[in-house]
Structures are given as C-alpha cells and as structure tokens.
Amino acid sequence: MNILVKMTVISVISFISFQLEAQENYTITINVVEADNDKGKMFIALYNSEIGFLETSYKGTMSKIENKKCTVTFDEIPQGTYAVSIFHDENDNGKLDTSFFGIPSEDYGCSNDAKGFMGPPQWSDAKFELKDDKTLTIKL
C-alpha cells in the first residue's frame, strides 16, 4: 500500500510539473520613439495586474536612448493581460520628476497611448491581451 501511495504522489507531481513547463510564454518588444533627446535613461515597466498599476511592476528595465528612441524586450512572459508604462529620466536621478502640483515634468507614456485626465492613465485604458509575441510602439 505504501508503494502505491508513493507512486501516485510521484505521478501527480510529474503531471503538474509537465503542465507548468507546457505553459506557453511569449515575448513583448517595446519600441519607445520621439524622445526629446538622448540624455539620461528610459525606464520601462511591465504590469500584470490592475492592483499596483503604476506602483509595483511585474518586470522592469532601463535602457540607453540613442537617436531619440530605444527598444527593450521582455522574454518568457506567460499569456495574460498586461500594461506598459515608460518614462524618460532626463536628469538621470532614477525617478519621474514632477512639478509642485504633481504634474510630470519628464516625458512619459503607456501602452495603447493611454492618457490620464486630471491624473495618471488608467489600467483599463493601457491594458492589452498577450496571446502571442507582441510589439508595442509608445510615443513620448
């Protein structure tokens, strides 16, 4: 009986492991264009949930800017709903600078060219479905 239980547990673990490996992953390529200049860095964040959108990213990276543009790629991303935000850190201080009223003083953008009205862009405007490899172009 003990051997039968062990074999069943091993079979279940093997099946679950196979299912996790079988999940398809995709690539998201993000082209950021029309930066004002090549100063500083571009910060790119990928979000996988409305909860924490623009606060806690699923994945993030920085990129040098050349010829007023940059391209980054996120690999091994599972199928799902995502949104992207970017900002141009011109003064290279590691944050999006804002005015006294909280209005960004550095360029920024989101997937689907989502824009906020009297505030930041909304998840519902920026989200997209990932079902295969995807390329996004975000204009600043």
Side-chain angles (χ1 to χ4, degrees):
M1 181 75 168
N2 199 11
I3 293 174
L4 183 60
V5 171
K6 287 180 183 178
M7 289 181 63
T8 303
V9 169
I10 290 171
S11 295
V12 169
I13 291 172
S14 296
F15 178 75
I16 291 171
S17 175
F18 175 76
Q19 290 297 328
L20 290 175
E21 288 178 21
Q23 182 179 16
E24 291 196 43
N25 291 314
Y26 302 102
T27 299
I28 301 174
T29 302
I30 301 157
N31 298 310
V32 182
V33 298
E34 298 184 20
D36 286 339
N37 54 58
D38 292 346
K39 296 178 185 174
K41 293 182 185 78
M42 201 68 69
F43 281 73
I44 299 97
L46 179 66
Y47 303 88
N48 63 351
S49 173
E50 181 174 8
I51 298 169
F53 177 56
L54 299 178
E55 294 173 13
T56 306
S57 65
Y58 169 63
K59 291 191 181 247
T61 190
M62 293 180 292
S63 177
K64 288 176 41 177
I65 305 161
E66 295 179 359
N67 299 318
K68 300 182 180 181
K69 59 186 175 183
C70 72
T71 299
V72 298
T73 302
F74 293 107
D75 293 315
E76 300 297 313
I77 307 298
Q79 181 175 336
T81 304
Y82 296 91
V84 172
S85 73
I86 60 106
F87 75 89
H88 182 183
D89 182 18
E90 287 188 68
N91 60 2
D92 220 2
N93 67 351
K95 64 180 185 175
L96 176 63
D97 294 328
T98 58
S99 70
F100 176 75
F101 296 106
I103 299 169
S105 57
E106 294 176 307
D107 287 336
Y108 66 94
C110 280
S111 44
N112 299 330
D113 289 326
K115 304 282 186 218
F117 178 74
M118 302 296 286
Q122 299 297 309
W123 167 262
S124 58
D125 296 328
K127 70 180 180 177
F128 60 90
E129 294 296 320
L130 182 65
K131 297 178 183 174
D132 52 15
D133 292 342
K134 190 163 197 76
T135 299
L136 305 171
T137 299
I138 298 176
K139 295 179 185 178
L140 294 182

